Amino acid sequence: MPHYINTLLLSVLVLISRAAAWAPGSLVARHRSHTRLMAEQEEGEDVTDVESKHSGYNVLGTELSCCCSNVGGSGIGTGFYRNGFCATGDMDMGRHTVCIRATDDFLEFSKSVGNDLSTPMPQYNFPGLNEGDIWCLCAQRWAQAYNAGKAPKLYLQSTHEKTLDFIPLDMLRMFAIDGDEANAVMNKLNLQRNELDQLISKGAGDDDDSFQ
């Protein structure tokens, strides 16, 4: 296969591999096709001494966008690392990975099940949420709210890919605020995937010709 095709294949494969989690009909999507989600209860973690980390990738397979760097004008960023991103890591046992827009209905439900998100908790650098605030919610808490019919809407491009361990992409897309933008990203990735397939076919043809 010509050298220029090898180089292009490597660069495109990196992007395509990040997008595999949302591909329609993929093994991941089929494996997570259940509609009833398992939700676990977890205690709040102290994140005041945790350093910021690389933000990672979103559920679309592209670079994770900022969720909110100034929650409710408090000057506090959302996320486990309080850097504005729904990034996660080994210390984040609760997986604060879903970028949601809070509503009064959701906040009331959350408080009723023992997860009070309305009351400020300075010891956790938590400002307390009001309707309209943007926050990185635990994936299992979102699943819990979904099971109760109280799931808040969310931003796909700011929701970390680890969310897919708990919630299938098709379900997240039904609550997406940035659905149109996400669809544009998906269309672009599909186009790149098709171009990759064509390059592979062309490269295979060139190899066959070289042996004739």
Side-chain angles (χ1 to χ4, degrees), residues 107-148:
L107 292 173
E108 289 174 6
F109 164 76
S110 188
K111 187 174 183 178
S112 73
V113 293
N115 187 32
D116 183 3
L117 297 176
S118 304
T119 303
M121 292 184 285
Q123 66 273 30
Y124 297 127
N125 202 24
F126 178 65
L129 303 182
N130 296 296
E131 179 161 4
D133 286 341
I134 311 299
W135 188 253
C136 293
L137 184 67
C138 294
Q140 293 153 316
R141 289 294 190 181
W142 191 93
Q144 182 184 43
Y146 172 84
N147 289 335

Side-chain angles (χ1 to χ4, degrees), residues 44-48 50-52 68-69 71 75-85 87 96 121 123-127 135-136:
E45 298 92 344
D46 187 350
V47 298
T48 54
V50 180
E51 296 181 355
S52 298
C68 185
S69 60
V71 180
I76 298 173
T78 187
F80 181 77
Y81 302 108
R82 297 299 189 264
N83 62 359
F85 290 83
H96 296 73
M121 292 184 285
Q123 66 273 30
Y124 297 127
N125 202 24
F126 178 65
W135 188 253
C136 293

Side-chain angles (χ1 to χ4, degrees), residues 37 39-45 59 64 66-68 71 77-82 84-88 92-103 105-111 113-118 121 126 128-129 133-155 158-164 166-167 172 175:
L37 305 174
E40 298 177 4
Q41 308 256 338
E42 63 273 349
E43 298 294 332
E45 298 92 344
V59 293
L64 188 68
C66 180
C67 181
C68 185
V71 180
T78 187
F80 181 77
Y81 302 108
R82 297 299 189 264
F85 290 83
C86 297
T88 188
D92 181 18
M93 303 302 292
R95 291 292 185 228
H96 296 73
T97 57
V98 186
C99 182
I100 64 123
R101 185 170 66 191
T103 63
D105 192 39
F106 165 70
L107 292 173
E108 289 174 6
F109 164 76
S110 188
K111 187 174 183 178
V113 293
N115 187 32
D116 183 3
L117 297 176
S118 304
M121 292 184 285
F126 178 65
L129 303 182
D133 286 341
I134 311 299
W135 188 253
C136 293
L137 184 67
C138 294
Q140 293 153 316
R141 289 294 190 181
W142 191 93
Q144 182 184 43
Y146 172 84
N147 289 335
K150 303 291 184 179
K153 291 188 176 181
L154 52 87
Y155 295 90
S158 300
T159 294
H160 195 277
E161 63 180 348
K162 285 294 185 180
T163 303
L164 298 175
F166 306 95
I167 309 160
L172 295 172
F175 292 83

Side-chain angles (χ1 to χ4, degrees), residues 5-56:
I5 292 183
N6 280 327
T7 302
L8 184 56
L9 284 176
L10 287 174
S11 60
V12 175
L13 279 171
V14 171
L15 181 59
I16 297 303
S17 66
R18 305 310 308 181
W22 61 262
S26 69
L27 289 176
V28 174
R30 289 198 296 269
H31 178 67
R32 298 172 179 137
S33 62
H34 57 282
T35 56
R36 185 69 182 174
L37 305 174
M38 295 300 293
E40 298 177 4
Q41 308 256 338
E42 63 273 349
E43 298 294 332
E45 298 92 344
D46 187 350
V47 298
T48 54
D49 296 327
V50 180
E51 296 181 355
S52 298
K53 294 186 177 181
H54 171 61
S55 57

Side-chain angles (χ1 to χ4, degrees), residues 201-212:
S201 298
K202 184 178 184 301
D206 291 343
D207 286 343
D208 291 341
D209 292 341
S210 66
F211 287 103
Q212 293 178 355

